[in-house]
Amino acid sequence: MRSDLMKKGLERAPHRSLFKAMGYTDEEIARPLIGVVNSANEVISGHIHLDLITQDVKAGIRMAGGTPVEFPVIGVCDGIAMGHEGMKYSLASRELIADSIEIMAKAHPFDALVFIPNCDKIIPGMLMAALRLNIPSIFISGGPMLAGKLKGKAVDLISVFEGVGAVKAKKITPSALKELEDCACPGCGSCSGMYTANSMNCVTEALGLGLPGNGTIPAVLAARHRLAKQAGMKIMDLLKRNIRPRDIATLAAFKNAIAVDMALGCSTNTVLHIPAVAYEAGIKLDLDLFNKISEKTPNLCKLSPAGHHHIEDLDMAGGIQAVMKVISKLGVIDAKAMTVTGRNVGTNLKNAKVFDADVIRQLDNPYLKQGGIAILRGNLAPDGAVVKQSAVAPAMQKNDGRARVFDCEDDAIKAILGGKIKGGDIVVIRYEGPKGGPGMREMLSPTSAIVGMGLDKTVALLTDGRFSGGTQGAAIGHISPEAAEGGPIALVKEGDIISIDIPAKKLTLKVSDQELAKRRKALKPFKPRITTGYLARYARLVTSSSTGAIFKD
């Protein structure tokens, strides 16, 4: 056992003495030591209950003959960090999470690990650590929040963000917004739509690193606690059989996960995180792979913000396993891929069923013939840009508009809420990429304001930053290269015409090559906005969003 390095033999008597100082018995020390990575805190609603999930996991480990050893990890709440300087730290926290887990697992050589995430950057950060360390591992998320209810209608966090714009447009009153605020988030769990947290929890299940149900069983159900105990027991089986993350997360498994991503219509942030996780497994995923799989995989689910269903509805309809069973008929699922159940995907899917064909549509009745996400390219985004095409209105799939240019998110929000953006405009927000932001802020505040003010059918938004999974409308992000690296988005001027053609996967700045060359000569070098602390180091090390915003080798 790996843990023998710190507990076995005459020379390790001092080490055992320190374990005994914490109350561990000789019997507990002799057993396999299983690291339990708990991301509970009192900042994130999706994590407020993770201490309870952790206790379930530890019970499962003990039942199966192991000794759990818990340690913590940080987490940022994207919703609370949204719209201010705090959002610069969200994506940047992903690398710290992965690094800190590596430190803990290397300094204290556990035999296996159980990861307990629930929200946005914590999940990919933990996945990166698992693939990097490559010791037997399993994931058990805290589960999704239930949707709120207001006057018989399902509401959620995004309803509140969009409500801010609705108040500004005088569509609802401030008292109506307060009523919405009070009931949109009814309890613990990752926010209830197909936003980034739930997208990544579902991707983890599809990748094979979480048990069936990991992505969809609601946080408040007893089934979630039973699943946590099963995860604790299952890690002991994975340890016994020496099944490791890289045995599971193969190229075939990543293709499975991307296919599920497309069928569900997940957050555009998955296009950042999946390549970053794959990189830790020694697998390079080109952005064009997303389009190739999207062409074969229809969008079968319309979950909030794209539609009115929520994750609890997806769970009742059969969950991720049912989605995989449906799209497996298209040949986009590799049934031989191994999973943490100890069985392959094909075996797991034998009893999967769709119980609601409105929530999970059949192949002959998709919402879209292609997947939920599209990668766009063109002279404005030579290295790619990302859009959640399943959440874009038909009228905005092809659109030419006038550029309204802002060099930071804050100025754009003021213009939108101040009524300065009109139908036909294309809002361009730049210098918000991984290096330029720094930290690549999510743009939920401006996109929600556009929707709340009723402009989502006539106004598009382009950025080298990124969007929340809760974003809907013609919101195109991850434009690469970013402005801070001299990408073409830095050359856009107020009033330029930009052409968006999502079906053709094109994003074009209608300015001549000669004019762009002239503008490039006049472009001033980018001056970092933050020059001290972690974000300054992050900006120096981070790569393009087209490569998952990983650190340079």
Side-chain angles (χ1 to χ4, degrees):
M1 294 189 293
R2 290 181 77 251
S3 62
D4 285 348
L5 291 170
M6 62 178 169
K7 71 182 186 183
K8 192 172 182 179
L10 183 69
E11 296 83 0
R12 297 297 181 254
H15 305 62
R16 293 191 296 272
S17 183
L18 289 169
F19 273 107
K20 288 176 180 180
M22 295 180 280
Y24 291 92
T25 64
D26 285 326
E27 290 79 5
E28 288 174 303
I29 296 170
R31 293 178 176 186
L33 299 185
I34 311 300
V36 179
V37 193
N38 181 7
S39 57
N41 64 41
E42 295 182 352
V43 179
I44 310 176
S45 57
H47 289 229
I48 192 68
H49 65 305
L50 291 191
D51 278 341
L52 297 175
I53 299 295
T54 300
Q55 292 305 315
D56 294 326
V57 166
K58 290 160 79 171
I61 291 170
R62 291 190 183 101
M63 283 190 285
T67 297
V69 183
E70 178 187 343
F71 63 90
V73 74
I74 64 167
V76 171
C77 178
D78 278 26
I80 294 174
M82 194 73 63
H84 58 87
E85 187 181 32
M87 182 46 74
K88 293 177 183 288
Y89 288 85
S90 176
L91 180 60
S93 73
R94 187 187 71 181
E95 315 322 295
L96 276 180
I97 290 165
D99 290 350
S100 65
I101 295 169
E102 177 192 353
I103 288 169
M104 289 297 290
K106 289 289 190 180
H108 317 98
F110 301 113
D111 297 302
L113 293 170
V114 180
F115 293 88
I116 308 175
N118 211 30
C119 290
D120 295 38
K121 308 311 162 298
I122 298 92
I123 307 160
M126 286 186 174
L127 285 167
M128 290 166 70
L131 270 298
R132 185 185 302 173
L133 292 163
N134 199 35
I135 62 176
S137 300
I138 193 169
F139 281 69
I140 170 64
S141 76
M145 184 186 294
L146 295 177
K149 295 292 187 293
L150 180 61
K151 298 175 182 175
K153 180 184 177 183
V155 293
D156 53 40
L157 177 66
I158 305 309
S159 308
V160 188
F161 271 99
E162 293 174 358
V164 174
V167 170
K168 291 287 186 178
K170 297 186 174 5
K171 292 185 173 185
I172 65 172
T173 64
S175 61
L177 179 60
K178 174 62 166 58
E179 191 177 8
L180 180 58
E181 170 192 329
D182 288 344
C183 68
C185 298
C188 66
S190 46
C191 296
S192 57
M194 190 51 79
Y195 317 138
T196 304
N198 290 323
S199 293
M200 287 307 301
N201 282 329
C202 291
V203 162
T204 300
E205 181 179 336
L207 193 57
L209 290 172
L211 292 171
N214 178 73
T216 60
I217 296 173
V220 296
L221 295 191
R224 173 60 57 179
H225 295 279
R226 294 196 297 271
L227 191 71
K229 290 177 182 176
Q230 290 164 7
M233 290 185 281
K234 183 55 68 175
I235 191 62
M236 299 306 296
D237 178 57
L238 294 171
L239 174 60
K240 182 179 178 180
R241 298 171 61 182
N242 196 28
I243 297 175
R244 303 181 180 218
R246 293 189 191 180
D247 299 326
I248 294 170
T250 61
L251 178 58
F254 279 103
K255 288 180 178 179
N256 286 351
I258 294 171
V260 170
D261 186 347
M262 295 302 164
L264 292 173
C266 288
S267 164
T268 52
N269 281 313
T270 59
V271 181
L272 270 180
H273 299 319
I274 292 175
V277 175
Y279 174 81
E280 297 289 350
I283 298 169
K284 184 178 180 181
L285 292 184
D286 189 273
L287 284 187
D288 290 333
L289 181 62
F290 285 82
N291 275 348
K292 288 176 183 176
I293 293 175
S294 178
E295 289 170 2
K296 302 175 185 176
T297 313
N299 178 219
L300 303 179
C301 302
K302 279 273 190 183
L303 300 154
S304 179
H308 63 276
H309 295 134
H310 290 83
I311 305 298
E312 63 198 81
D313 302 311
L314 177 60
D315 186 62
M316 292 179 66
I320 303 309
Q321 302 299 302
V323 173
M324 293 180 79
K325 182 112 179 225
V326 173
I327 62 175
S328 67
K329 299 170 187 175
L330 297 170
V332 296
I333 295 295
D334 189 328
K336 294 180 181 178
M338 177 57 70
T339 74
V340 290
T341 64
R343 302 183 298 270
N344 63 29
V345 168
T347 304
N348 290 346
L349 296 183
K350 279 185 179 179
N351 296 320
K353 293 180 182 178
V354 174
F355 297 103
D356 188 332
D358 184 38
V359 178
I360 304 173
R361 290 196 171 182
Q362 295 299 310
L363 297 176
D364 60 357
N365 185 35
Y367 284 103
L368 286 173
K369 291 182 179 180
Q370 291 190 343
I373 291 174
I375 308 299
L376 311 184
R377 294 186 187 269
N379 70 340
L380 188 53
D383 293 343
V386 184
V387 63
K388 191 173 186 175
Q389 61 181 346
S390 60
V392 179
M396 296 296 286
Q397 294 279 335
K398 295 179 71 173
N399 174 46
D400 285 13
R402 180 174 67 108
R404 304 295 309 280
V405 183
F406 303 92
D407 285 346
C408 70
E409 177 190 7
D410 311 83
D411 291 346
I413 292 172
K414 289 177 186 176
I416 294 165
L417 294 178
K420 295 180 180 179
I421 302 301
K422 308 298 181 185
D425 286 347
I426 294 180
V427 177
V428 177
I429 305 177
R430 62 191 179 190
Y431 295 103
E432 289 285 6
K435 187 180 295 294
M440 202 179 186
R441 288 194 283 183
E442 285 189 347
M443 305 285 177
L444 182 57
S445 293
T447 58
S448 295
I450 286 170
V451 174
M453 297 179 76
L455 296 171
D456 56 304
K457 305 294 190 298
T458 58
V459 170
L461 192 153
L462 276 58
T463 182
D464 55 5
R466 62 194 177 92
F467 298 114
S468 160
T471 291
Q472 60 175 307
I476 299 170
H478 306 198
I479 291 177
S480 299
E482 63 175 290
E485 291 191 324
I489 190 173
L491 308 178
V492 180
K493 288 188 175 182
E494 187 83 5
D496 283 349
I497 301 301
I498 295 173
S499 176
I500 299 168
D501 190 339
I502 295 174
K505 311 293 188 292
K506 293 288 186 183
L507 185 61
T508 307
L509 175 62
K510 291 193 168 182
V511 175
S512 70
D513 292 343
Q514 293 84 352
E515 174 62 19
L516 289 177
K518 181 180 176 183
R519 292 181 188 181
R520 182 166 296 284
K521 285 184 180 179
L523 186 66
K524 295 179 181 178
F526 172 71
K527 291 184 179 180
R529 289 170 170 166
I530 296 177
T531 57
T532 61
Y534 176 61
L535 280 183
R537 297 197 302 275
Y538 178 85
R540 288 196 295 270
L541 291 172
V542 73
T543 61
S544 169
S545 58
S546 64
T547 56
I550 57 174
F551 279 174
K552 296 173 185 174
D553 289 330

